[in-house]
Structures are given as structure tokens and as C-alpha cells.
Amino acid sequence: MIKPIKWSNGKVRMLDQSKLPLKVSYIICSDYLKVAEGIKKLWIRGAPAIGIAAAMGVALGAQKIKTKGFDEFYKALQPIFSAILSTRPTAVNIEWAINRLKKLLLSNNNLGVEKLKTLLIKEANKILKEDIETNRAIGKWGAKFIKDGDTIITHCNAGSLATGGYGTATAPMRVAVEQGKKIQVIADETRPVLQGARLTAWELMKDRIPVTLITDNTAGALMKRGEIDLAIVGTDRTARNGDVANKIGTYSLAILCKEHGIPFYVAAPTSSIDFSIPSGEFIPIEERGADEVTHISGCRIAPREVKVKNIAFDVTPAKYITAIITEKGVFKPKDLYKIQKLKIKN
Amino acid sequence: MIKPIKWSNGKVRMLDQSKLPLKVSYIICSDYLKVAEGIKKLWIRGAPAIGIAAAMGVALGAQKIKTKGFDEFYKALQPIFSAILSTRPTAVNIEWAINRLKKLLLSNNNLGVEKLKTLLIKEANKILKEDIETNRAIGKWGAKFIKDGDTIITHCNAGSLATGGYGTATAPMRVAVEQGKKIQVIADETRPVLQGARLTAWELMKDRIPVTLITDNTAGALMKRGEIDLAIVGTDRTARNGDVANKIGTYSLAILCKEHGIPFYVAAPTSSIDFSIPSGEFIPIEERGADEVTHISGCRIAPREVKVKNIAFDVTPAKYITAIITEKGVFKPKDLYKIQKLKIKN
């Protein structure tokens, strides 16, 4: 299985996804700023994966701190938290991972700094391990919606590469295949960054899951021909009411599904659900530079000085979503709040 | 005004649109096969423009025919008709132009071959001239739907470059600007061939009409934000019942418009209406090679040997279309058949 990120000999090793599928190369980060750069420049991307990267980045940064008392140590961590938090605004997983580490530290403030440093490494690795387990659970819940012979459309990459491994949106597909179901995947290429063409197609081909690549414009025509049975996508942040922020174009795909009576599922680890946000309107939406639209692989494809609007994410309102598949079970968007209660119980 | 094609010194000169916006270069065709190649390879594209190219290609091919009687001349033209007809199946304008030349020839079968050759050149130039007049008329009718301050989304390129000049979908925008209305245009980049990014953005910038380029995935998000007032697109072939074949992604755009209550207009010269076809199901839909999806500007962006489905056009059913703007007036799709009666009257 592809491992987009791991802790390796005191450093963070990440697959440089910006080079895929042409080149499989790894970047070794020995500094938290390099990890932050990797998140910002999309060497690593995908909500769960950047949550893991955030945790590993903090753990990495912590190792270099030369203070003794807890308070000084915790204070010295603040610029590291800030640098990593400021990389990308839409995915909640960075916040989630950092909050988890903060809580861990605060509840262990009696330990010495060296022990805390080791604790951070362990916790980052635990987040990675749990992520893979979470995805397998999502896969089991989600595979129930996939029938033998189904064709599933997905947008962007919510696959192994977007996570610690196994993927979120791809998990139900992987489980369906393990169950012996014959499936086909349609991968939207997902402009502007082409995660579908570069990443989803690549990882599914590697795992011998049949995949066909289309331009984002083609989804509607295939639905009209009756060639798509269901859609499964990932999410960068899901609000308490079930509104889902995900890669730009997800909203359009959901509307197309509604218009054609095709079920539209969101695979969402609970780490990507932000219960503090009542609805999608409150999710910060990242806008990125024009060059992602005007250039592809360094080649200019649009006129010089053209005005560009490059919104990286959109919000799909809960009403378009058939169900949200989490590791704790499948929920109607309106019932998502119940997970919070489940969490308290656990 | 940009002239994508013209008859020049006994040859056909076409702007090589496949090189835009990086390079403005012209191809001089001295042979009808070169014209056919140009249509196939998208040096010239857009339904009205390839209708003009078809006529000029036939006129060019005719000049080299060395026969004397009408029957032999007409027979010698058959392989030229076939070569040009086989270039691209979806746009009806190639058929329309060739049928027009055939009729002209058959009704002048008393003339000598040299006169017929001259007649063909004249007719091809007449088709070009009429096309520009048609587009100006479309502009006048269509501008009524554009209010001061409106933002108009368009897909692909149905601009000057797609026609003899002035454009079809862009004509109402141009007239609105001439009327002193302040407008904004949103250009879908239009994957895979990027006619929006490469051509629409370029020609509108050239003519100082404010244009913003977006990925096709972004249209839905802008509509949800209330930033789009209306859509105007072109057509490659419109069926008798008002179903519209146009560049892939048009169908999705129409569904997005419906979902957001945004009017969706089609600018259609009557030459692109195929009254012989009862509905969109009967319109032949071109599929093109995988390389348009897997490569951009010669750079590979998808894994080797990935399976691709590259459908070049889709059909937007009449029910999604607010109105069809022709040079003869504005029609509800269901009333389109009335044009046929108008034509008989004229």
C-alpha cells in the first residue's frame, strides 16, 4: 500500500504528490517549516493526510526545542502551531490534529520535556495508525452501498494518497473489491490541480481497480447515459448540519447526481467533522493563485494577465447528500450531530 | 475584428487556433485536404467557422478539377464533399454548407465549369459575409436579455474565433457593450481543449470586454454565491425540438443554471438548426482521442495507459433552455419549428 507520509529516523518522509504520476519521489523533512511548505505546496494534500503531516510537523519541530519546564516548552511550540495552522484553511484536520496534541501535552504537564517530545512522536504515529483503521471502517460501512457491477464516480483524490493509507472515498471501493464485487471507477480529472488524473487514476491503477479518467465536464453526459450508479467523495471539513466542504466541483457533481437520481455519498472520518461550525457558510474557503489555472506542468494555457478566480473548495449543502459514511457508521446529514453524543459516550 | 478564416489570393487562410493564445500564426491552405486537416485538427473550430471552412475547402478543391461537362465536374467534386464531411460529425454546419453548394451547382448546371468554379468561390465568401450579419442580428436580439451590470457565463468558445466574425454567444455581449452596458464575462476554461481559456478569454481581452477565467468546476460555486446573472452558449447542432448539442460540459452548466434559477440562453444561427432531426438523441456525438485528456501542451498529466472516455459534445435537452436566440428572433425551444415556416415564407 502507498504510504504518502511516515515518521522515519527522526524525520518526516513525504511522497511528493505534486510530481505524480510522472515521478515517484520522496521529500525528507528535517524541519517543521519544510513540513509546512509541503502542506502549502501540495507535496502532501488530502484532509486526513495533512492532519497527520501537521502532527508530525509539530513533533518534528518539538525535538529541536531547548527548554526545560513545561510552560517554556509549550510556549516555544506556539510558533510551530501557528506556522502549520496557517498553511491551509479549509481542511479541519490540521486544527483537529493540533488540538489533539495540545490536549495531550496539557494533560501531561507533569512530565519532563524529553518525555513530552517522545510523546508527541508517538501521538503523531498513533494518528497515522488510527487513520488507516478509520478508513477500513469507513470502507466496511460504505461497501454496503456498492452492488456487483456498479460504476462509481469520484472527484479529486480521497484515496490512499489523501490519507495515512487506504483512503476515505476509495475505502468502500477497496472493500467492495475485496468482497469480490466487480466495480468500475470513474475519476473526474479535477481541475485545476488534477488530483483525479494525477493521483486517483494512478493509485487505483496501481491497485488494479478498473478506472476510467474523464474531464470534469463529462460527468453529466455519462449520468444521462445511465453509466453511473453512485458517487462517493471525500471531505475537507463537514459542518454540524451535514454541509460538506470538498474540492471545487464537488457541489456541481452533487447537483448532477440529484438531477439524475444518483445517490451521492460522502466518506468522512469523524476527524473531518467540525461540530463547532453550525453550517457550511462558516467554513473558510481557500482561494489559490491564478497560476494553477493559467499554467499546467509549467506550460501557459491562458492569455497573459488574464483575470482568474481560483476557488479551491466549495460547500455542498446537506440536502444534496444521500448519506455521510463515517468510521462510526452511516448517517443522514441531519443526524450527523448524533456522533458528537456517541463520542461523549465513548 | 479577428478573422479566423478568409479566402485570399486563390487560397484559404486560417488562423491556427490550436496555437492560441501563445502564438498568432496563420496557415495558408492551397489544397482542400489541408482545409480538411485544419478542421480535424482544430486549427479552425466552432460550428459556423467550420461551415465556412467547408465551403471554402470545396471551392478550393474545385479549382483544380480539369473536366469540362457539368456531370463530370459534379462527379469530381464528390470525393471533396466526402473528405470534408468526414472531418467532424457533430456540427451540422459542414453538411449545411455543402448542401448549399450542391443546390447552387445543380440549379446552375447550364453554366460552364469555369463559371461554376467562380460561383463556388463567390458563394463561400457569401456564406462568410452572411455569417457575420447573422451574428450581428443574434447580438441585437440577445442583448435584450443583458442588463447593465450583469455577469454572463459562457462555455467553450462561440466567439469571433468560432465564426466568420463577431461570434454567436459573444454577439449579445458585444452589442450590450456597444449599448453602453457594463458587463462581466465568466469564461469556463472548457476542458479538454481549453477553448475558454485559450480562445474566449483571449478574444474578449483583445476587445476589452472584462473577462474572468475559471475552471469548469467553479461555475456552480459562483452561481451559489449569486455572482452569475445569465448564461449564453453556442451550439454545434440544434434539433427540431430545441435540444442543443454543444461542447461537453454545456449540459452540466444548464443543470447548474436550472438549480440556481439562472436563465440559460443558446445563441444559434439558423444554419446550426437541423430540422431533419426530431430530437437530440439523433445528433451524432464525436468522441476524440485520449491524448486530449492525458496531455496538455504536450505534457503528460495522467498515468501512462490510463483508460479515458473523451466525449467531445453533449446534448442539453430543450427543457433546460430558457430561449434560443437566432438571427430571425428569439424562440422558446418548443417553438423552434416555426422558423422552418419562416424560411419557407422568405
Side-chain angles (χ1 to χ4, degrees):
Chain A
M1 200 173 62
I2 304 152
K3 295 213 165 171
I5 186 161
K6 71 175 201 178
W7 186 271
S8 173
N9 299 323
K11 290 173 182 167
V12 177
R13 190 189 81 148
M14 54 173 78
L15 176 59
D16 181 358
Q17 299 189 33
S18 71
K19 298 261 189 321
L20 285 176
L22 301 181
K23 215 172 141 186
V24 179
S25 66
Y26 290 87
I27 289 171
I28 309 295
C29 308
S30 50
D31 189 287
Y32 79 89
L33 289 171
K34 194 81 178 170
V35 175
E37 188 186 354
I39 296 171
K40 210 157 190 167
K41 292 195 175 159
L42 311 186
W43 303 337
I44 190 156
R45 24 65 53 202
I50 63 179
I52 298 161
M56 290 191 174
V58 170
L60 191 63
Q63 306 308 310
K64 294 192 180 167
I65 297 175
K66 309 270 185 233
T67 57
K68 279 189 178 155
F70 177 84
D71 289 351
E72 283 167 315
F73 179 66
Y74 198 69
K75 201 179 157 193
L77 280 167
Q78 299 308 312
I80 302 177
F81 295 150
S82 304
I84 290 174
L85 275 169
S86 71
T87 50
R88 299 195 68 197
T90 301
V92 74
N93 301 61
I94 294 177
E95 251 172 84
W96 170 86
I98 286 180
N99 287 340
R100 181 164 158 169
L101 297 185
K102 281 182 179 172
K103 254 190 211 164
L104 179 79
L105 290 169
L106 292 171
S107 63
N108 287 283
N109 61 0
N110 55 326
L111 296 182
V113 166
E114 289 314 308
K115 283 213 170 142
L116 290 173
K117 288 182 181 176
T118 310
L119 208 59
L120 285 173
I121 297 173
K122 272 193 186 155
E123 193 68 7
N125 278 313
K126 201 174 157 199
I127 289 174
L128 169 60
K129 192 170 155 272
E130 284 175 11
D131 182 62
I132 298 171
E133 287 163 6
T134 291
N135 297 341
R136 288 194 185 273
I138 288 172
K140 273 185 198 155
W141 290 108
K144 294 177 188 172
F145 301 114
I146 302 175
K147 293 186 304 296
D148 189 38
D150 270 358
T151 298
I152 307 143
I153 192 165
T154 190
H155 192 69
C156 194
N157 174 268
S160 297
L161 290 165
T163 61
Y166 212 72
T168 55
T170 56
M173 304 173 197
R174 291 181 192 282
V175 172
V177 168
E178 288 163 15
Q179 291 170 343
K181 294 172 190 164
K182 280 206 168 38
I183 62 162
Q184 302 275 339
V185 180
I186 302 290
D188 275 354
E189 65 173 3
T190 318
R191 279 284 286 154
V193 184
L194 295 163
Q195 292 91 340
R198 296 189 305 103
L199 309 178
T200 302
W202 183 77
E203 71 165 81
L204 294 180
M205 284 171 82
K206 243 180 136 57
D207 292 340
R208 300 185 190 284
I209 297 173
V211 59
T212 300
L213 175 65
I214 59 167
T215 64
D216 305 304
N217 280 326
T218 310
L222 290 185
M223 289 182 189
K224 192 157 162 243
R225 291 180 182 191
E227 293 181 15
I228 291 175
D229 299 295
L230 68 156
I232 311 178
V233 300
T235 171
D236 292 81
R237 189 185 302 228
T238 290
R240 186 181 159 82
N241 73 339
D243 290 352
V244 164
N246 192 44
K247 184 54 36 66
I248 190 78
T250 302
Y251 173 55
S252 303
L253 186 67
I255 291 174
L256 292 178
C257 281
K258 179 197 161 196
E259 191 68 18
H260 295 90
I262 294 168
F264 182 85
Y265 298 101
V266 177
T270 54
S271 60
S272 64
I273 304 169
D274 186 348
F275 290 103
S276 76
I277 278 186
S279 77
E281 290 164 66
F282 298 91
I283 300 175
I285 296 297
E286 180 180 5
E287 295 205 18
R288 297 179 58 89
D291 57 327
E292 285 182 355
V293 179
T294 57
H295 289 72
I296 297 178
S297 304
C299 300
R300 172 173 286 278
I301 53 149
R304 282 181 195 286
E305 291 172 35
V306 67
K307 193 176 157 196
V308 169
K309 185 92 176 158
N310 182 17
I311 309 169
F313 298 89
D314 57 29
V315 173
T316 300
K319 67 172 177 176
Y320 296 104
I321 298 162
T322 310
I324 295 175
I325 308 164
T326 77
E327 74 276 20
K328 295 182 191 293
V330 178
F331 296 82
K332 290 266 163 206
K334 69 176 173 54
D335 295 330
L336 202 61
Y337 74 94
K338 291 178 183 170
I339 293 176
Q340 215 174 0
K341 289 183 192 157
L342 281 178
K343 271 188 164 173
I344 293 162
K345 265 190 254 166
N346 291 351
Chain B
M1 199 174 64
I2 303 152
K3 295 214 165 172
I5 186 161
K6 71 175 200 177
W7 185 270
S8 173
N9 298 324
K11 290 172 184 170
V12 176
R13 191 188 82 148
M14 53 173 79
L15 176 59
D16 181 359
Q17 300 190 31
S18 70
K19 299 264 191 318
L20 285 176
L22 302 182
K23 213 173 143 186
V24 179
S25 66
Y26 291 86
I27 290 170
I28 309 294
C29 308
S30 51
D31 189 287
Y32 78 90
L33 288 171
K34 195 82 177 171
V35 175
E37 189 186 354
I39 298 172
K40 209 157 191 168
K41 293 195 176 158
L42 312 185
W43 301 340
I44 189 156
R45 27 63 53 202
I50 63 178
I52 298 162
M56 290 191 175
V58 169
L60 190 63
Q63 306 309 309
K64 293 193 182 167
I65 297 174
K66 309 269 185 236
T67 55
K68 280 188 177 156
F70 177 85
D71 290 349
E72 283 166 316
F73 180 65
Y74 198 70
K75 203 179 156 191
L77 280 168
Q78 299 308 312
I80 302 176
F81 294 150
S82 304
I84 291 174
L85 275 170
S86 71
T87 50
R88 299 196 67 199
T90 301
V92 74
N93 301 60
I94 295 178
E95 249 172 85
W96 170 85
I98 286 180
N99 286 340
R100 180 164 158 169
L101 297 185
K102 280 181 180 172
K103 253 191 211 163
L104 180 78
L105 290 169
L106 292 170
S107 63
N108 287 284
N109 61 358
N110 56 324
L111 296 182
V113 165
E114 289 314 309
K115 285 211 168 142
L116 290 172
K117 288 181 182 177
T118 309
L119 208 59
L120 285 172
I121 297 172
K122 274 192 184 157
E123 192 70 7
N125 278 313
K126 200 174 158 200
I127 289 174
L128 168 61
K129 192 169 155 271
E130 284 175 11
D131 181 62
I132 297 171
E133 287 163 8
T134 291
N135 296 341
R136 289 195 185 271
I138 288 172
K140 274 185 199 156
W141 289 107
K144 296 178 187 173
F145 300 113
I146 302 175
K147 293 187 302 295
D148 189 37
D150 271 357
T151 298
I152 307 144
I153 191 165
T154 190
H155 192 69
C156 195
N157 174 269
S160 296
L161 290 165
T163 61
Y166 213 72
T168 55
T170 56
M173 306 173 196
R174 291 180 192 281
V175 173
V177 168
E178 288 164 16
Q179 291 170 343
K181 295 173 190 163
K182 280 205 166 40
I183 62 162
Q184 302 276 341
V185 180
I186 302 288
D188 275 354
E189 66 174 2
T190 318
R191 279 282 289 151
V193 183
L194 295 162
Q195 291 93 339
R198 297 191 302 104
L199 310 179
T200 302
W202 183 78
E203 71 164 81
L204 294 180
M205 285 172 80
K206 241 180 139 57
D207 291 341
R208 300 184 191 284
I209 298 174
V211 59
T212 301
L213 176 64
I214 60 167
T215 65
D216 305 304
N217 280 325
T218 310
L222 290 185
M223 288 183 190
K224 194 159 161 240
R225 291 180 182 191
E227 293 181 15
I228 291 174
D229 298 295
L230 68 155
I232 311 179
V233 300
T235 170
D236 292 81
R237 188 185 303 229
T238 289
R240 186 181 159 82
N241 72 339
D243 290 352
V244 164
N246 193 41
K247 183 56 35 65
I248 190 78
T250 303
Y251 174 54
S252 302
L253 185 68
I255 290 174
L256 292 177
C257 282
K258 179 196 159 195
E259 192 69 18
H260 295 88
I262 294 169
F264 182 86
Y265 298 100
V266 177
T270 53
S271 60
S272 64
I273 304 170
D274 186 348
F275 290 103
S276 76
I277 278 185
S279 77
E281 294 164 62
F282 298 91
I283 300 176
I285 297 297
E286 179 179 6
E287 295 204 17
R288 297 179 59 88
D291 58 325
E292 284 181 357
V293 178
T294 57
H295 289 72
I296 297 178
S297 303
C299 300
R300 172 173 286 280
I301 53 150
R304 282 181 196 285
E305 290 171 37
V306 66
K307 195 177 155 194
V308 168
K309 186 92 176 159
N310 182 17
I311 308 170
F313 298 89
D314 58 28
V315 173
T316 300
K319 66 172 177 177
Y320 296 103
I321 298 162
T322 309
I324 296 174
I325 308 163
T326 78
E327 75 275 20
K328 294 181 193 291
V330 178
F331 296 82
K332 291 267 164 205
K334 68 175 174 53
D335 295 329
L336 202 61
Y337 72 95
K338 291 179 182 169
I339 294 176
Q340 214 175 1
K341 288 184 194 158
L342 282 178
K343 269 187 166 174
I344 292 162
K345 264 191 257 167
N346 293 351

